[in-house]
Amino acid sequence: MSAHPLPDAERPDLDGLTTPMAWSDEEGAIVGCNAAFSRWLGVGARRLMGWPLAGLDGGDSHLAEAMARLDAADAPLRLRRSRLRYADGEECFADLWLSRRDEGGWLLEAHPVDEFPGDDPALLLPSVLSASLKGLAHELRNPLAGLKGAAQLLSRRLEADPGDSRELVAMIGSEVERLTGLVDRLLTPAPPRPHAPLNIHAVLERVLRLGESDAGWAVRLVRDYDPSLPEFAGDADRLMQAVWNLVRNAIEAGATHVTLRTRAEHAVRIADTVHPIALRLEIIDDGRGVPEELTERLFLPLVSGRAEGSGLGLALAQQVAREHRGSLAYRSRPGHTVFTLLLPLQIEEEET
C-alpha cells in the first residue's frame, strides 16, 4: 500500500504539539504524523507514510475494530491501555483517542504511559467488610501454602538426610509466626511497624524459597540482581508478602519461568514526587498474561481471573507499595507479563 503526504493546505498544524498524533486517509493508510509521534514510536515519519494505521496495533485488533465502527458524526473514542508498535519494533503504551477527520480518514492521538498503572482500590471498594474478610482469608492462605509445600519436601527428605531438613523446619516456624501475627493483628489492630533497614535481595530469597516449595520443578525461578543496590528503610515482612503475591500469581497463570530483576533507577517520578534514586523490582513471567476483561479492574479487591482466586493479591501488593511511598504497575501480553514495583531508596525523614 502506498500513500502520499497531505498537501500543506490539508496538513494539520500539529508539529508544535508534544502530544503524539498521526492521521490517515479514508483507506486507513497513514498520510502524516507530527514529530512527537515519530519520536515516541521510534521510527522516522517517512517510513510511516502509507503504513496502515490499524497495523500499528500491538494488541488484539482493537484499533481496527474502533476505526470500523467510528462514524463521522460520532464523538472521539477512547481506547484505554493500548499497545502500539511499528513492524517488529518496541511496544509503546498509551491511552488513545480516535476521531474522524473532516477531510476523511482518522486522527489518532496518543497519551503515552510507561506501563499500565493500577486504579486505586480504595475508590471502588464494593464492601469494606467483605474486602476485610476476604483479605484475611487470602493472607492466611499464603502462609498455609508455604507450610504445606515445606512440609511435603520435609517428609521426603527427612528419612534420607535429616540434617538437610533444618532450613525447611525453620521456614515452617517462620510461617507459623507470620500466620499468628496476622490473626493477632485482626483481633487487636496495631499501628504499622516502623520501617527498618533491609536488603531487598534477602527479602527476594525468602520469596524464591517459598516459590520453590510451592511449584517444585514445574517452574524455573531466575535471579537477576543488581548487587550494588543499597539497603533502604522498609517492612521486610510486608514486602515479602507483596512480592510473593505477584510470584504466586505468575505460577498460577501457568508460567514456566519467573524472573526477579532488581535495578537502580535515577530521577524517578512516583505520583507527584521525583526521587533521586529508586529501586526498580520487576517480576517477569511467561504465563498466560492478564485477561483482557480484567485490565480495567485488575487492582480492585475481589477481582480474579481464576474461579478459586480471592482477587486480593494485587490489591494488597499495591497497598504495600504505597506504604513504602512507591508504586506498582504492569504490562502484559500472553507469554510476557511484567509487574514493576518502584520504591524510593532515599526517603525524606518525616517531620516530628
Side-chain angles (χ1 to χ4, degrees), residues 50-218:
W51 191 265
L53 185 63
L56 297 177
D57 193 344
D60 299 320
S61 303
H62 293 319
L63 183 54
E65 294 170 2
M67 292 171 64
R69 70 173 186 266
L70 185 64
D71 293 327
D74 290 341
L77 285 178
R78 185 181 185 186
L79 308 178
R80 296 193 63 193
R81 306 175 189 273
S82 300
R83 301 192 296 268
L84 296 185
R85 66 178 173 189
Y86 173 80
D88 295 328
E90 291 292 327
E91 286 186 332
C92 299
F93 300 87
D95 287 339
L96 304 177
W97 286 96
L98 181 70
S99 58
R100 292 302 300 261
R101 301 176 56 233
D102 294 338
E103 304 86 350
W106 291 265
L107 176 66
L108 184 68
E109 177 182 332
H111 295 268
V113 294
D114 291 334
E115 293 168 298
F116 298 147
D119 297 323
D120 189 347
L123 300 178
L124 297 171
L125 285 176
S127 167
V128 174
L129 177 60
S130 177
S132 299
L133 294 176
K134 290 276 189 175
L136 174 64
H138 180 85
E139 287 299 325
L140 292 180
R141 188 184 64 177
N142 279 347
L144 288 173
L147 289 172
K148 180 180 178 180
Q152 289 174 341
L153 287 177
L154 182 60
S155 64
R156 297 173 191 158
R157 295 182 184 179
L158 191 57
E159 293 184 1
D161 185 1
D164 189 45
S165 302
R166 294 176 182 174
E167 185 178 354
L168 292 174
V169 172
M171 181 192 299
I172 291 175
S174 174
E175 290 300 291
V176 167
E177 290 178 4
R178 190 158 70 93
L179 187 59
T180 303
L182 289 170
V183 176
D184 289 344
R185 212 158 51 218
L186 178 69
L187 298 175
T188 309
R193 293 185 302 181
H195 288 181
L198 63 88
N199 184 314
I200 189 60
H201 298 139
V203 173
L204 299 185
E205 287 302 306
R206 292 173 61 190
V207 173
L208 289 172
R209 193 67 174 130
L210 283 175
E212 290 167 353
S213 298
D214 186 68
W217 297 103

Side-chain angles (χ1 to χ4, degrees), residues 325 348-352:
R325 302 186 185 180
E348 299 80 9
E349 292 185 0
E350 294 285 345
E351 295 181 0
T352 303

Side-chain angles (χ1 to χ4, degrees), residues 214-270:
D214 186 68
W217 297 103
V219 180
R220 182 185 176 196
L221 301 170
V222 181
R223 299 163 175 83
D224 184 2
Y225 296 164
D226 179 355
S228 66
L229 285 171
E231 289 190 345
F232 65 98
D235 186 327
D237 283 341
R238 293 286 284 168
L239 285 171
M240 195 211 77
Q241 290 173 14
V243 179
W244 172 234
N245 284 340
L246 298 173
V247 171
R248 186 176 177 83
N249 280 352
I251 294 172
E252 293 175 345
T256 60
H257 289 74
V258 179
T259 299
L260 299 185
R261 175 182 297 162
T262 60
R263 295 292 186 270
E265 193 161 317
H266 298 272
V268 177
R269 177 179 292 276
I270 301 176

Side-chain angles (χ1 to χ4, degrees), residues 5-24:
L6 290 176
D8 290 342
E10 299 180 31
R11 179 186 177 92
D13 185 17
L14 303 175
D15 270 339
L17 298 179
T18 58
T19 300
M21 304 185 77
W23 51 96
S24 74

